[in-house]
Amino acid sequence: MPELTMPELTMPEPANPEPAGGTPVSASDADEVEIWRIPLDSWPDPEGYPPELEDILDDAEKERARRGTEPGMRRRFVIAHAALRIILGERLGRAPESVRLTRGRWGKPRLAQGDGPHFSLSHSGELALLALAPRPVGVDVERPRAGLDPARLAERFFPAEESAWVARDGRRAFARLWTRKEACVKAAGGRLAQGMALPVGRFSGQAAVRDPTGSLPGTWRVQDIPLTGAYAGAVALLGDGPFSVSLRMWYHIPPEQSGSVWNTLRVK
């Protein structure tokens, strides 16, 4: 299926616009970020998942998976976190189940050994995104949700210009802004509440983002991720240096199609 991108959403410029902050990026002088798209609905049973994927999770992950009570929640969790372990294992030259993870103060996962890439995982609906990068990274994906009042939330939490954008363009604009903010928060390892005031509305391509309140110290480089359908996605790296994005796909081949379980857990 050809790749579809969310239509470009632009904020109306103020009477005396400030510089947008976007900078053209050359892959030759930029860090590379791998963005892995992980479909969560490829298993024929909507409430099931390949059992060998759960086997590679650690005890804490299995317990979190068991707490998923909403339809499809356990399946989505298991597939997303198993894919994370498989891809990291490929990079580290280790079996997926031997990859040890730990979490920071606000829950951001990282490699316990500290000898591999920085990473960030996000999932919404039937899609997960995994970002691997040479410096601290955050990724977020959102599918606009029915019943959400984006204008009310934006008016309460977002800067005035962004709130006006959401009032004009609705859920699509809200999802775009939300993913940019959350990607920055994840890159910083902070709390979501710290990122709501980040000014992320007026740029295209990449931009350096800073918190004018100082609540979330640092500078982040942010870029939208082209995704299919109604999904919005963004990735942010700590620091203002540019980066290039390499889009990849993870998929699972059923064991009956190969002679080895681990040969079926492929990356490309």
Side-chain angles (χ1 to χ4, degrees):
M1 179 180 293
E3 190 72 15
L4 303 176
T5 60
M6 180 175 286
E8 184 68 21
L9 303 176
T10 57
M11 289 184 66
E13 292 292 342
N16 297 298
E18 299 174 356
T23 302
V25 178
S26 168
S28 63
D29 60 4
D31 289 329
E32 182 182 59
V33 182
E34 295 178 16
I35 302 293
W36 291 86
R37 292 168 291 181
I38 304 165
L40 305 178
D41 58 354
S42 57
W43 193 246
D45 179 359
E47 295 304 319
Y49 48 83
E52 63 272 14
L53 294 184
E54 189 168 27
D55 292 341
I56 67 177
L57 303 184
D58 64 21
D59 290 342
E61 290 167 328
K62 291 175 182 176
E63 176 58 30
R64 289 178 65 194
R66 284 192 288 269
R67 293 202 297 265
T69 56
E70 295 182 10
M73 183 181 291
R74 182 168 180 170
R75 166 180 52 81
R76 291 189 289 267
F77 181 94
V78 168
I79 294 174
H81 287 78
L84 164 67
R85 287 181 162 275
I86 292 162
I87 294 168
L88 286 175
E90 289 271 343
R91 292 290 177 271
L92 300 171
R94 300 175 188 158
E97 69 272 19
S98 70
V99 175
R100 293 181 56 239
L101 303 175
T102 186
R103 290 183 175 271
R105 179 182 181 187
W106 303 113
K108 181 179 181 179
R110 61 178 183 267
L111 286 166
Q113 297 94 333
D115 58 353
H118 296 274
F119 68 91
S120 178
L121 178 69
S122 177
H123 49 90
S124 178
E126 297 295 346
L127 179 67
L129 295 180
L130 170 65
L132 303 181
R135 62 187 202 249
V137 62
V139 72
D140 191 53
V141 58
E142 296 290 339
R143 184 183 65 180
R145 288 169 284 176
L148 184 72
D149 186 344
R152 182 179 63 84
L153 289 172
E155 183 178 11
R156 179 177 179 184
F157 295 111
F158 290 2
E161 285 183 308
E162 295 177 2
S163 177
W165 183 20
V166 174
R168 186 192 71 184
D169 289 340
R171 287 189 176 90
R172 291 188 303 140
F174 181 84
R176 178 65 69 209
L177 293 166
W178 183 277
T179 56
R180 292 173 180 177
K181 294 171 188 286
E182 188 158 355
C184 291
V185 170
K186 289 182 175 181
R191 295 175 296 163
L192 181 58
Q194 294 174 287
M196 291 298 95
L198 285 174
V200 298
R202 199 186 317 120
F203 71 84
S204 60
Q206 287 185 12
V209 173
R210 299 172 183 85
D211 182 1
T213 71
S215 175
L216 201 65
T219 301
W220 304 272
R221 193 85 178 178
V222 188
Q223 176 178 320
D224 294 333
I225 302 169
L227 297 172
T228 57
Y231 287 99
V235 60
L237 264 66
L238 184 63
D240 59 6
F243 59 88
S244 62
V245 171
S246 173
L247 293 174
R248 308 189 179 197
M249 177 74 77
W250 179 90
Y251 62 98
H252 175 73
I253 301 175
E256 61 269 19
Q257 296 181 15
S258 176
S260 165
V261 167
W262 299 120
N263 285 340
T264 73
L265 305 177
R266 298 291 180 87
V267 295
K268 69 173 181 180

